Amino acid sequence: MSAGRRSSGGRTLGQGGAKEQVRRLLALLPYLLAHPGAKVADVARTFGISEKQLVADLGVLWFCGLPGMMPGDYIDVDMDAVEGEGVIWVSNADFLTRPLRLTADEALGLLVALRVLRETVQVSEREVIDRVISRLEDAAGQVTGVSDRVAVRVDSWEDPEVRAVVREALDRRRRLHLRYWVPTRDETTERDVDPMRLVLADGWTYLEGWCHRAEDVRLFRLDRVAKAEILDAPATPPPDARPRDLSAGLFQPSPDHALATLELEPAAAWVAEYYPCEEVIEQSDGSLLVRLRVADPRWLRRLALRLGGSARILEPSELAEDVRNDALAALAAYETT
């Protein structure tokens, strides 16, 4: 099969979507360079995908190359039939074998990211990161002296003692007892948690672990942990407990969540940018009509009250009525004081 059949395949994301396709391509190209003339069936089997998806991935590779290249300089992928079986040949990708040379800005960015990452991992992982930082500082320092000017401090609102206890529990793989404030219910809860990892998301530090109260994986923002205590029990999350993929943000809408419709005045338009919305319609008067998924209706009630007159819940009607009653109760409290 010649290169002329690749363009339509490049638009097919197929198995796992765009992110998974990018991950495959990053591994697929070095594999094909190391195995010239590999059989299509063998490569698809190695990467656990269908032959149709493999052809689609190769169609994307055909449009890849270094910035500034002309179309004729892009990676070239050919598939031919040999003894009745399709084989793959990749050429025009010699730049991948060149030693990596980082600019000062690239080295600085990596140093900052590694030092931030170091704050969230366990002791064994910190040792690996420290070695990488040391080698990167040596390489960057020889060229730019940048290592002497890099300092990273992760500011946070959480109690340093809580953070220290959580880290110790992670390092020792021990169960934690948490006293945790839940803002959507405005209550403090007691729960036992098998810690799995610390993560940074949206500027906050979270403990992710198996919550025995919820019987599920949960995220706990450290600044909302009033107290943390290490228990005399091992941390043993169930085998099927998996860390959440946070690449798309902390809240990931699901079709199982309720669909709400809000009307936002210009002063509240930031909601449409800050929260994932399924639909945003700009109306003639400048207001926005937004539809978004809501996992906990109490969160939307609090948001609507916070926005005051600049937002109005249209659907579901029962939730709109709840917010109206909340607002009237709040006004009545002011009148009696």
Side-chain angles (χ1 to χ4, degrees), residues 68-301:
M69 283 185 168
M70 299 296 291
D73 299 322
Y74 291 166
I75 296 170
D76 190 26
V77 181
D78 284 310
M79 283 178 281
D80 300 314
V82 176
E83 297 181 355
E85 294 188 85
V87 296
I88 307 169
W89 302 89
V90 174
S91 59
N92 219 25
D94 295 340
F95 54 84
L96 290 175
T97 62
R98 301 172 190 166
L100 179 63
R101 295 289 185 266
L102 297 176
T103 66
D105 288 344
E106 290 170 339
L108 180 59
L110 281 174
L111 283 171
V112 171
L114 285 167
R115 288 178 176 175
V116 171
L117 178 63
R118 188 185 185 279
E119 296 298 312
T120 65
V121 300
Q122 300 182 33
V123 170
S124 58
E125 296 168 322
R126 288 200 292 273
E127 294 173 355
V128 175
I129 293 175
D130 284 341
R131 291 198 295 270
V132 175
I133 288 176
S134 177
R135 295 185 63 179
L136 184 57
E137 283 180 331
D138 290 342
Q142 291 173 4
V143 178
T144 65
V146 69
S147 59
D148 295 332
R149 302 196 300 271
V150 176
V152 175
R153 184 182 68 192
V154 179
D155 290 325
S156 58
W157 293 98
E158 71 259 15
D159 185 335
E161 292 185 10
V162 167
R163 186 184 184 92
V165 170
V166 169
R167 268 201 147 174
E168 182 181 351
L170 279 166
D171 292 338
R172 294 174 52 196
R173 298 183 180 179
R174 309 299 291 181
R175 184 170 300 168
L176 281 167
H177 179 76
L178 302 181
R179 183 177 299 163
Y180 187 72
W181 177 60
V182 183
T184 55
R185 299 195 298 269
D186 194 20
E187 67 173 342
T188 300
T189 60
E190 305 278 342
R191 56 187 76 207
D192 292 346
V193 177
D194 290 340
M196 296 164 60
R197 62 171 180 167
L198 282 174
V199 294
L200 287 172
D202 299 335
W204 301 99
T205 304
Y206 291 82
L207 166 67
E208 185 171 31
W210 177 263
C211 177
H212 289 266
R213 173 173 171 160
E215 295 186 343
D216 200 356
V217 176
R218 289 289 187 268
L219 287 165
F220 302 95
R221 221 170 82 176
L222 286 197
D223 65 307
R224 294 174 180 166
V225 177
K227 183 178 180 181
E229 178 185 358
I230 297 178
L231 300 178
D232 188 21
T236 54
D240 59 345
R242 294 288 184 272
R244 290 172 54 187
D245 179 6
L246 302 179
S247 58
L250 283 175
F251 176 69
Q252 299 171 26
S254 164
D256 297 331
H257 297 155
L259 183 62
T261 303
L262 283 74
E263 188 175 42
L264 304 175
E265 298 297 328
W270 60 269
V271 172
E273 299 178 359
Y274 193 80
Y275 298 105
C277 297
E278 292 203 351
E279 187 177 19
V280 179
I281 301 173
E282 186 172 356
Q283 303 188 103
S284 58
D285 61 356
S287 63
L288 298 179
L289 197 67
V290 301
R291 293 186 176 88
L292 69 165
R293 296 286 177 179
V294 180
D296 189 339
R298 290 168 294 190
W299 167 82
L300 187 56
R301 288 173 66 175

Side-chain angles (χ1 to χ4, degrees), residues 8 22 25:
S8 60
V22 170
L25 291 174

